[in-house]
Amino acid sequence: MSAVTIKDVAQLAGVSPSTVSRVISNHPKISPATRKKVRDAMHQLDYHPNIMAKSLVSKNTNTIGLVLPYSSDNLFINPFFSEVLRGMLAYANNKNYDLLLSSARNQREELEAINRMVLGKRIDGVVLMSPSRDDVIVKKLMEYDFPFVLLGRSLEYPDVLSVNNDNIKASFDLTNYLIAQGHQKIGIVTGKPELVVSEDRLSGFQRALRQAGLPLNPDWIVSAEMLEKNAYHTISMLMNAGDRPTAILVIDDVIAISLIRELAEIGFGVPEDISIVGFNNIYMSEMSNPPLTTIDVGIYQLGYQTIQQLIRKLAGEDHPSKVTVPHRLVVRESTK
Amino acid sequence: MSAVTIKDVAQLAGVSPSTVSRVISNHPKISPATRKKVRDAMHQLDYHPNIMAKSLVSKNTNTIGLVLPYSSDNLFINPFFSEVLRGMLAYANNKNYDLLLSSARNQREELEAINRMVLGKRIDGVVLMSPSRDDVIVKKLMEYDFPFVLLGRSLEYPDVLSVNNDNIKASFDLTNYLIAQGHQKIGIVTGKPELVVSEDRLSGFQRALRQAGLPLNPDWIVSAEMLEKNAYHTISMLMNAGDRPTAILVIDDVIAISLIRELAEIGFGVPEDISIVGFNNIYMSEMSNPPLTTIDVGIYQLGYQTIQQLIRKLAGEDHPSKVTVPHRLVVRESTK
DNA sequence: TATGGTAGTGGAAACGTTTGCACAGGAGGT
DNA sequence: ACCTCCTGTGCAAACGTTTCCACTACCATA
């Protein structure tokens, strides 16, 4: 195991360690001759700086922390996450940052993990993916004045960085598409009420109905939770009521895809008997049977811009603190 | 930003920094009284050790590196990955390890990232997910005697850690299931030939056919690549030949699911007109329409045991170097 | 020729830990 | 009463960097 240090390089090049350090950090006043000598020595010894020692004194780690929140077991299984991560890594690696991952099974663990990373001086900034409203971690980070960015929700504080979609508008647009297709009786499968995103999508839906003067039958609102627990019963209730919806907006593509399958089991065809739309446009949505009409929320971009926000802040660059990633209606064959 | 160090704790507790350090690391010969004093002081100051300083001298980082390989754009989008990661994090976090993520767009970048982490003393061990056969990184790590584990392939070297499935057997089992269902004409959609996993699954398939004395019509072998490029044409060729297969084994669930949809578009029902089976049992397989018959390869376990292998090695524990995660046939409704 | 300025380099302290070694004090054996 | 041994603690060096400050040449200017 090679343990070549800056001193070895210095010795080989016939200069002092300070000079080597300066060459590494591209200090302006190093003579070209010295620079070359040192570079050659570094190369010859296959020198790589000890990052621990470096961060200990320079006080930055070129690392961004990411704690996967406890409420996200589904988020995690959900293909959503790996696409977000891909976007994050793309930007981070390009700027020479790495991602440090930890996970938590509950809020205490989440707080612990963050404390360990932040107070342990292990990372320069942190991404908060916890989609719920709870602010104890945010408060703590603000108190320490530690750089962080929120993914998937925003906060009124003007200087808190965040990256999000306009979920209200997205849901509004999606509902209006259904209305424009002639649907008058539209149901919805809602997500966990404690999540901001669920609330936003529900409210955009309601607003669109209201604006079009359409009714919202309470029987047409079911929760994803209910659906998961007892799919058959829930769907039967919905579809065998005297007045059944002709279209259903589903809070998430994954759930939409599974709903389509469950409808098929009971004998309802999509889109012949009922139209289904989802949210997110995950990779699978295009490949489902039938392909799903949905809102593309720019999953990759969400990840990409989250890290962009954070790294820009770390670099002291000026930039708006709230970023809204645009969404886009993708019409496929699950609607008519 | 709190900058409380071991010295602050020592001062408050009225002991020396060494003693504090010993309390932290549970040194046996510290008197209970001192131990309590120090613990109280730590708590009162909300002390968290500076991990950089700690690793600098102790020479371990409690961090495991993970470089996402360049050939894995699909692997990455593939829900497979997030489930593997979930397994990895579960074990790692439980043992107080974190994961350091980097990605690479080509082999040079991959090597660079590994060098940076390994030679930079940033990690204690590394997971290699690159599923192809190329050994330059493995050679380098062996040369340095740096701990690593292979995920998704094994190597003849006796002391190289690896976690894998028995893909030959898995494919053999899956094919035999189809044969037992009465299928005599079975086709296959193969993966990239340079991947070990593709090769193994193809060879298990061939072996089962041979053993049953069944023919393998060359027209019934198509590559996933071809399918992706020109699905319609490829499928038409397959299905409109005089002699068409009654079942198709597909190298990967994602591709199987998309194949089902494409067959539906041309007018072939699954499983009425043709049976389809996949590999992996990703989360979505259960929710597809129809639900997919597949081989569960224990994705979560693959991740979990990979990290287990590595951490055990780091802890100096004795254990077998090659782990094979068992697979399991999951019969659903895409076959008859 | 003396003076000042600048470009290039080295010395040494500092970052916050861990740990080998030394040492004080008390217990136990003769 | 003396020696030995053990328990618990402190001192100081070391880990591999960065960076402030000082210093040496050398050149240009007066």
Side-chain angles (χ1 to χ4, degrees):
Chain A
M1 190 63 209
S2 105
V4 29
T5 76
I6 215 173
K7 287 184 191 169
D8 302 319
V9 176
Q11 191 167 11
L12 180 62
V15 299
S16 77
S18 341
T19 301
V20 176
S21 172
R22 281 188 264 254
V23 170
I24 294 170
S25 53
N26 279 317
H27 191 98
K29 34 176 81 173
I30 290 286
S31 75
T34 312
R35 194 179 298 275
K36 174 157 182 5
K37 266 193 308 187
V38 172
R39 288 256 162 80
D40 287 350
M42 283 173 46
H43 203 256
Q44 188 177 334
L45 297 176
D46 195 17
Y47 169 76
H48 287 256
N50 182 315
I51 303 184
M52 297 299 166
K54 178 174 184 154
S55 341
L56 179 57
V57 30
S58 74
K59 271 146 182 23
N60 49 51
T61 60
N62 272 39
T63 306
I64 289 171
L66 186 56
V67 177
L68 302 170
Y70 54 97
S71 56
S72 70
D73 257 0
N74 41 358
L75 196 157
F76 212 156
I77 285 173
N78 196 316
F80 191 91
F81 172 72
S82 56
E83 182 74 3
V84 167
L85 190 61
R86 210 165 64 89
M88 289 184 167
L89 275 170
Y91 193 88
N93 287 162
N94 191 37
K95 296 287 184 182
N96 289 313
Y97 276 77
D98 287 321
L99 255 40
L100 190 66
L101 242 65
S102 198
S103 70
R105 276 168 311 204
N106 52 52
Q107 179 156 20
R108 193 183 48 73
E109 281 192 8
E110 189 173 349
L111 189 57
E112 252 173 30
I114 295 208
N115 266 336
R116 197 166 35 85
M117 289 182 175
V118 170
L119 268 40
K121 304 270 194 296
R122 192 109 198 262
I123 54 176
D124 298 340
V126 63
V127 176
L128 298 183
M129 307 189 56
S130 213
S132 54
R133 266 207 205 63
D134 198 320
D135 272 357
V136 39
I137 292 177
V138 170
K139 280 215 193 85
K140 184 145 193 172
L141 292 173
M142 288 180 71
E143 184 188 321
Y144 289 153
D145 198 23
F146 190 87
F148 68 97
V149 54
L150 298 174
L151 173 50
R153 61 182 165 140
S154 359
L155 233 48
E156 51 282 18
Y157 308 91
D159 47 345
V160 167
L161 303 186
S162 67
V163 175
N164 202 356
N165 295 114
D166 184 345
N167 277 303
I168 299 182
K169 181 65 163 43
S171 186
F172 182 78
D173 292 349
L174 185 53
T175 310
N176 278 337
Y177 159 74
L178 289 172
I179 294 170
Q181 293 292 103
H183 291 280
Q184 307 245 347
K185 299 189 288 183
I186 309 177
I188 184 169
V189 175
T190 61
K192 295 188 184 168
E194 68 270 24
L195 303 189
V196 181
V197 55
S198 308
E199 191 185 325
D200 286 354
R201 288 178 182 175
L202 177 58
S203 87
F205 170 72
Q206 289 170 323
R207 196 204 292 176
L209 290 189
R210 210 179 312 120
Q211 183 178 302
L214 293 175
L216 173 51
N217 186 331
D219 295 344
W220 298 342
I221 307 183
V222 304
S223 75
E225 209 176 353
M226 248 162 65
L227 196 60
E228 203 175 349
K229 239 178 231 150
N230 196 334
Y232 180 79
H233 181 248
T234 309
I235 296 175
S236 303
M237 292 283 288
L238 196 62
M239 298 301 287
N240 294 329
D243 201 20
R244 79 166 60 132
T246 62
I248 298 179
L249 182 147
V250 184
I251 200 73
D252 184 294
D253 283 355
V254 174
I255 301 168
I257 290 173
S258 102
L259 178 59
I260 289 176
R261 199 248 311 156
E262 282 148 359
L263 283 166
E265 265 172 27
I266 307 186
F268 291 100
V270 174
E272 311 87 81
D273 302 319
I274 188 163
S275 288
I276 299 290
V277 298
F279 264 101
N280 289 353
N281 195 27
I282 61 173
Y283 183 62
M284 280 285 168
S285 305
E286 193 181 352
M287 314 179 8
S288 75
N289 180 18
L292 190 64
T293 295
T294 189
I295 291 281
D296 185 317
V297 296
I299 309 180
Y300 180 91
Q301 278 300 314
L302 284 167
Y304 190 89
Q305 302 211 26
T306 296
I307 301 297
Q308 184 176 58
Q309 286 268 89
L310 194 50
I311 290 184
R312 283 192 173 160
K313 160 137 195 174
L314 292 174
E317 289 174 29
D318 224 20
H319 56 104
S321 69
K322 317 281 181 218
V323 167
T324 301
V325 174
H327 59 266
R328 184 173 58 90
L329 176 66
V330 179
V331 176
R332 297 207 185 92
E333 288 137 57
S334 67
T335 48
K336 68 157 192 208
Chain B
M1 191 62 209
S2 105
V4 27
T5 76
I6 215 174
K7 288 184 190 169
D8 301 320
V9 177
Q11 192 168 8
L12 179 61
V15 298
S16 76
S18 343
T19 302
V20 176
S21 171
R22 282 188 261 254
V23 169
I24 293 171
S25 53
N26 279 316
H27 191 98
K29 33 177 83 175
I30 290 285
S31 75
T34 311
R35 195 179 297 276
K36 173 157 181 4
K37 266 193 309 186
V38 172
R39 286 257 162 80
D40 288 350
M42 280 172 48
H43 202 258
Q44 188 177 334
L45 296 176
D46 195 17
Y47 170 75
H48 287 255
N50 182 315
I51 303 184
M52 297 299 164
K54 179 175 185 155
S55 333
L56 179 57
V57 29
S58 75
K59 274 152 182 15
N60 50 49
T61 60
N62 272 40
T63 306
I64 288 171
L66 186 57
V67 177
L68 303 169
Y70 53 95
S71 56
S72 70
D73 257 358
N74 41 354
L75 196 157
F76 212 154
I77 286 175
N78 196 318
F80 190 92
F81 172 72
S82 56
E83 182 74 2
V84 167
L85 191 60
R86 210 165 65 89
M88 290 185 167
L89 275 171
Y91 193 88
N93 288 162
N94 191 37
K95 295 287 184 182
N96 289 313
Y97 275 77
D98 287 321
L99 254 40
L100 190 66
L101 242 66
S102 198
S103 70
R105 277 169 309 205
N106 52 53
Q107 180 157 19
R108 194 182 48 74
E109 283 192 8
E110 190 173 349
L111 189 57
E112 254 172 28
I114 294 208
N115 266 336
R116 197 166 35 85
M117 290 181 174
V118 170
L119 269 39
K121 305 269 193 296
R122 192 106 198 263
I123 55 176
D124 298 340
V126 63
V127 176
L128 298 183
M129 307 189 57
S130 212
S132 53
R133 267 210 204 62
D134 198 320
D135 271 0
V136 40
I137 292 177
V138 170
K139 278 215 193 86
K140 184 144 195 175
L141 292 173
M142 289 181 71
E143 185 188 322
Y144 289 154
D145 198 22
F146 189 86
F148 68 98
V149 54
L150 298 175
L151 173 50
R153 63 183 163 139
S154 2
L155 233 49
E156 50 281 20
Y157 308 92
D159 47 345
V160 166
L161 303 186
S162 66
V163 174
N164 203 356
N165 296 113
D166 183 346
N167 278 304
I168 298 182
K169 181 66 166 41
S171 185
F172 182 78
D173 291 349
L174 185 54
T175 310
N176 278 337
Y177 159 74
L178 289 173
I179 294 170
Q181 292 293 103
H183 291 281
Q184 306 247 347
K185 299 187 288 184
I186 308 176
I188 185 169
V189 175
T190 60
K192 294 187 186 170
E194 67 269 24
L195 303 189
V196 181
V197 54
S198 307
E199 191 186 326
D200 286 354
R201 289 179 181 174
L202 177 58
S203 86
F205 170 74
Q206 289 170 323
R207 196 203 292 177
L209 291 188
R210 209 178 314 121
Q211 183 178 303
L214 293 176
L216 173 51
N217 185 331
D219 294 345
W220 298 342
I221 308 182
V222 305
S223 74
E225 207 177 357
M226 247 162 67
L227 195 60
E228 202 175 350
K229 238 177 231 150
N230 196 337
Y232 180 80
H233 181 249
T234 309
I235 296 175
S236 304
M237 292 283 289
L238 197 60
M239 297 301 286
N240 293 328
D243 202 21
R244 77 165 63 132
T246 63
I248 298 179
L249 182 148
V250 184
I251 199 74
D252 183 295
D253 282 356
V254 174
I255 300 169
I257 290 173
S258 103
L259 176 59
I260 289 176
R261 199 248 312 154
E262 282 148 359
L263 283 165
E265 264 171 29
I266 306 187
F268 291 99
V270 174
E272 312 87 80
D273 301 320
I274 188 163
S275 288
I276 299 289
V277 298
F279 264 102
N280 290 351
N281 194 26
I282 60 173
Y283 183 63
M284 281 284 167
S285 305
E286 192 181 352
M287 313 179 9
S288 75
N289 181 17
L292 192 64
T293 294
T294 188
I295 291 281
D296 185 319
V297 296
I299 309 182
Y300 180 92
Q301 278 300 315
L302 284 167
Y304 190 89
Q305 303 212 26
T306 296
I307 300 298
Q308 185 177 56
Q309 284 270 89
L310 195 49
I311 290 184
R312 283 192 174 161
K313 159 135 194 175
L314 293 175
E317 289 173 31
D318 225 21
H319 56 104
S321 70
K322 317 281 182 218
V323 167
T324 301
V325 174
H327 60 266
R328 182 174 60 90
L329 175 66
V330 178
V331 176
R332 297 207 186 91
E333 288 137 56
S334 66
T335 47
K336 69 158 192 210

